[in-house]
Amino acid sequence: MKLFCFPYAGGLPGIYYSWKSRLPPTFLEIDAFEVRPHIPQPNRDVFLPTSFYELLEDVCDRITPALAETPFAFFGHSMGGLVAFELTRKLMQKGAPLPQHLFLSASRVPHAYGKLAKTYNLPHDEFVEALRKLGGTPDDVLENQELLELFLPILRADFQAVQTYEMNPDLPRQVPVNMTVLYGTKDTIALEDIWAWRDYCQGACQFFPVSGGHFFIHHQTSSILEIIQNVLKEEKTVAIHSSF
């Protein structure tokens, strides 16, 4: 099976690169998918959609050709979880292959995004301070003017896409895919906005607390990979037994 992994807002796929060497390749292949396919470069225009569904359309176009090759699952952290969920709904609409499992990490349910404070349009210094308080953006970036000039447009675009997101009511609310929801024990996401993922899932939906705040993904790799392996092994065992 292939596991497509989607990073959080402003995150690069490199956050998943270490996973490739920590899981048996015969069991699971990790594909760290670039939500935004362009590497930041000075004085160069890049495609930075600020609409979530425009961003999703681009992701769907790029990932669809790879979905017929092998069974697959999605993992997404924070905004990446919303991408994974909405991408599944988009694939349903297209009649394309669906993931065998959704792993949603530090991701609030779609109807909770309307409660988010708008920070994407703050003045420069206030936006940088908001990033610092949120965590996730390395100090090496926040304190380096050249790096900031590269990454701030991407961060603002991602934040705008998320903070202005509204769920499309024309697509099915529930997906016919089993879900595993991971959440930080010290995250600021309200627990009711975690538990409510049950309402978006036609299959089984299970929850795992993980020690840490919103960006526990950087500190709890072993725990996360153990959960992924155990869940997929259990599903494989059930599928084998049900085939007899």
Side-chain angles (χ1 to χ4, degrees), residues 106-109 181-184 187 189-198 205 207:
S107 296
R108 52 178 50 83
V109 288
V181 181
L182 296 79
Y183 62 96
D187 201 342
I189 298 176
L191 284 177
E192 60 263 28
D193 294 336
I194 297 293
W195 303 130
W197 275 114
R198 294 190 182 100
C205 186
F207 300 85

Side-chain angles (χ1 to χ4, degrees), residues 166-180:
E166 294 182 3
M167 188 176 184
N168 182 356
D170 296 330
L171 296 178
R173 176 184 174 95
Q174 294 184 321
V175 295
V177 178
N178 292 340
M179 287 185 185
T180 295

Side-chain angles (χ1 to χ4, degrees), residues 220-238:
Q220 299 293 344
T221 301
S222 296
S223 298
I224 295 169
L225 294 181
E226 183 177 2
I227 291 170
I228 292 172
Q229 288 184 88
N230 290 342
V231 167
L232 294 181
K233 284 179 180 177
E234 182 178 349
E235 287 199 346
K236 184 176 181 180
T237 299
V238 170

Side-chain angles (χ1 to χ4, degrees), residues 42-57:
N43 304 318
R44 182 173 178 179
D45 292 334
V46 295
F47 175 59
L48 292 176
T50 55
S51 159
F52 180 85
Y53 287 103
E54 187 178 6
L55 180 148
L56 183 71
E57 192 71 34

Side-chain angles (χ1 to χ4, degrees), residues 73-75 84-85 88 99-104 175 177-181:
F74 289 158
F75 178 100
F85 172 75
T88 302
Q100 295 194 2
H101 202 97
L102 281 180
F103 293 93
L104 308 179
V175 295
V177 178
N178 292 340
M179 287 185 185
T180 295
V181 181

Side-chain angles (χ1 to χ4, degrees), residues 53-66:
Y53 287 103
E54 187 178 6
L55 180 148
L56 183 71
E57 192 71 34
D58 180 62
V59 169
C60 189
D61 288 345
R62 288 185 289 114
I63 201 172
T64 298

Side-chain angles (χ1 to χ4, degrees), residues 35-125:
V35 172
R36 296 190 183 277
H38 302 285
I39 300 174
Q41 295 184 20
N43 304 318
R44 182 173 178 179
D45 292 334
V46 295
F47 175 59
L48 292 176
T50 55
S51 159
F52 180 85
Y53 287 103
E54 187 178 6
L55 180 148
L56 183 71
E57 192 71 34
D58 180 62
V59 169
C60 189
D61 288 345
R62 288 185 289 114
I63 201 172
T64 298
L67 301 183
E69 300 173 359
T70 182
F72 63 93
F74 289 158
F75 178 100
H77 188 85
S78 194
M79 184 188 81
L82 182 63
V83 170
F85 172 75
E86 284 288 6
L87 179 57
T88 302
R89 293 210 304 157
K90 184 72 175 176
L91 294 172
M92 290 173 61
Q93 182 187 44
K94 295 178 60 175
L98 299 181
Q100 295 194 2
H101 202 97
L102 281 180
F103 293 93
L104 308 179
S105 174
S107 296
R108 52 178 50 83
V109 288
H111 67 256
Y113 278 83
K115 298 186 292 186
L116 288 179
K118 304 296 188 289
T119 61
Y120 69 88
N121 54 358
L122 289 174
H124 175 88
D125 290 347

